[in-house]
Amino acid sequence: MVERKWTDWLPTTRKEVELRGWECLDVILFSGDAYVDHPSFGAAVIGRTLEAMGLKVAIVPQPNWQDDGRDFKKLGRPRLFFAVSAGAMDSMVNKYTANKRLRSEDAYTPDGRTDRRPEYPTIVYTALLKKFFPDVPVVIGGIEASLRRLSHYDYWQDKLLPSILISSQADLLVYGCGEKPLFAVVSAFRDGNLSDISSIPQTVFIQKEYREMPNDMVLHSYESCLKNKRLQAENFKHIEEESNRMTAGRLIQKTGDCRVIVNPPYPPMTTEEIDACYDLPYTRLPHPKYENKRIPAYEMIRHSITIHRGCFGGCAFCTISAHQGKFIVSRSKESVLKEVKAVTEMPDFKGYITDLGGPSANMYRMSGTDRKICEACRKPSCIFPNICRNLQADHRPLLELYRAVDAVPGIKKSFIGSGVRYDLLVHPYENADRNQSARDYTQELIRNHVSGRLKVAPEHTSKTTLNCIRKPDFSVFLQFKKIFDKLNREENLNQQLIPYFISSHPACTEKDMAELAAIVKKLNYYPEQVQDFTPTPMTLATEIYYTGLHPYTLQPVYTAKTREEKQNQHKYFFWYK
């Protein structure tokens, strides 16, 4: 067991800064989450990335925004800039249920307390920093800022809002996974070449004077979208398509007397680049200031490993591709095994990896066979309405990784806790090797990597609703269930297949929910993993909810909106009561 010192974590107080012998800091990062020095927590990743660039970095986790602002002033003025992130979740999703009721627990706060962060921390924290240090640049990022980079519908205020750059008055927004743009941002601030900031990929900035460039996509202005919801729907189609292109153009949206300019994203990270992010010297532990306190999100992921980023599923209600992108970025086997070894050395480790996955469990190392086809593609999904013939859906690298992890001394079992895309497993590929790899993976998964329950997400039984969600027909789930049940019988296992379902999604009617209830009753399922659709910024489903139109067809789509309509749909999950 490694004995830890306070200096093993990034400093959070003036005393900890002095313990390192530092007089001043280069970057001070404010986070809406507790500071857990683990690669599943964004603030830790950004802090460690900045540290690896040779910067003196501190984190101020969950600062008190309701007093005289002492948490915002205690570390003084950074040499380069302040960085602000609301946390690992959108703050409003974190704080409220789909029925706009306060949640009973904040998973990213010590002891689950719900009073440690404000609504919209990105805006609140930035305003306070600008008040106390008006001349110091503020760079915002993370999920909340990333998904609010252009005009967006806010479910909790029931309003169309402008870019969060406008609302927060921050100087720059970094969207998506921030490691690559941060290198360029830091270089610009270090060299004093602030004019270069406007050209950094994967950033958003505000400009009054605007000169159009080739490949620019000029969107409808925020004010015109306020007057006409159809224009907001048209905007979304362009935003989603550009966000999912390998080579995208700039997005420009006039707001008031200025322009919000979204630079295209960096190319997907290489394996070497993502390995470097996960190979940083994380302690994998909460900061010692939280001793004897429970941080629910950490309890869930402390013995888990992320093996890739990105998701090409393109589900209508999901924000993963809007933030991480649809192109899969996979870690090397060596990097994963290095982290597995670090987990085995944790004092509370009992031999079980709780999850070896990512946004989707089984997309590791999958990409397009012909890169030129991918470069020309604008589709948000590689597997809907059909699995792309150019997708190299080979499960063999993942099988090899599972077996290598299970061979590490100290590992009894590695489980798959992330959701599995079963449509990739039952699809009849033209390539015989891919069919065999899918069969082999399915058998390996069910025999050796299910901790009693396997999570999958058919989402619904209605063809119309599934088409809107961008999910395969329910018959595909039944195909997989048949294989799952057969293997359980043959191996004498007693595992459960746990399907996730959603109510009140755009295109779903009460009749659809009644049919869902009848089907799951016939299958003898008692749904427990269920959710009521919550509109979140920058998703297709949210745009339909707000505008009443499908952005790709501009045709009307029914959506349950009133509390009564939503409750009437949700109750069908509990037919057995």
Side-chain angles (χ1 to χ4, degrees), residues 201-214:
Q202 216 166 304
T203 61
V204 189
F205 62 99
I206 295 171
Q207 205 167 59
K208 290 211 170 183
E209 299 299 321
Y210 160 67
R211 186 167 59 84
E212 192 166 336
M213 296 170 60

Side-chain angles (χ1 to χ4, degrees), residues 437-479:
S437 79
R439 286 193 293 269
D440 291 345
Y441 176 82
T442 304
Q443 290 178 4
E444 172 73 16
L445 171 72
I446 295 170
R447 284 173 178 160
N448 299 318
H449 301 281
V450 177
S451 62
R453 316 174 98 205
L454 179 64
K455 296 185 292 188
V456 294
E459 303 297 358
H460 217 285
T461 58
S462 156
K463 288 179 186 289
T464 305
T465 306
L466 286 168
N467 190 55
C468 188
I469 293 175
R470 294 177 176 155
K471 273 290 182 90
D473 191 89
F474 191 67
S475 61
V476 180
F477 167 75
L478 295 177
Q479 277 181 266

Side-chain angles (χ1 to χ4, degrees), residues 43-171:
V45 174
I46 295 304
R48 290 296 185 184
T49 299
L50 291 166
E51 178 189 48
M53 296 172 66
L55 300 181
K56 296 180 176 71
V57 187
I59 292 180
V60 181
Q62 300 189 314
N64 186 341
W65 74 100
Q66 295 173 301
D67 61 7
D68 59 2
R70 65 191 67 181
D71 280 350
F72 293 87
K73 296 181 282 187
K74 67 183 182 183
L75 296 180
R77 177 189 305 269
R79 190 172 64 87
L80 298 180
F81 58 85
F82 288 112
V84 171
S85 169
M89 289 176 67
D90 185 282
S91 66
M92 302 306 282
V93 176
N94 186 62
K95 202 171 187 73
Y96 295 99
T97 68
N99 285 324
K100 301 184 180 179
R101 291 183 180 141
L102 283 168
R103 294 190 188 276
S104 58
E105 184 174 79
D106 182 332
Y108 293 87
T109 296
D111 295 331
R113 286 178 56 175
T114 58
D115 60 349
R116 296 299 301 275
R117 78 175 84 217
E119 296 179 357
Y120 312 105
T122 306
I123 295 172
V124 174
Y125 294 172
T126 302
L128 286 164
L129 291 169
K130 286 293 184 184
K131 175 184 174 182
F132 300 126
F133 305 96
D135 58 330
V136 179
V138 177
V139 179
I140 59 176
I143 290 281
E144 182 167 274
S146 182
L147 302 183
R148 297 168 181 269
R149 54 191 185 258
L150 289 159
S151 64
H152 57 279
Y153 173 68
D154 185 279
Y155 173 62
W156 297 274
Q157 295 183 48
D158 193 23
K159 287 181 183 175
L160 188 73
L161 300 177
S163 165
I164 197 168
L165 259 185
I166 300 284
S167 308
S168 68
Q169 293 298 295
D171 298 276

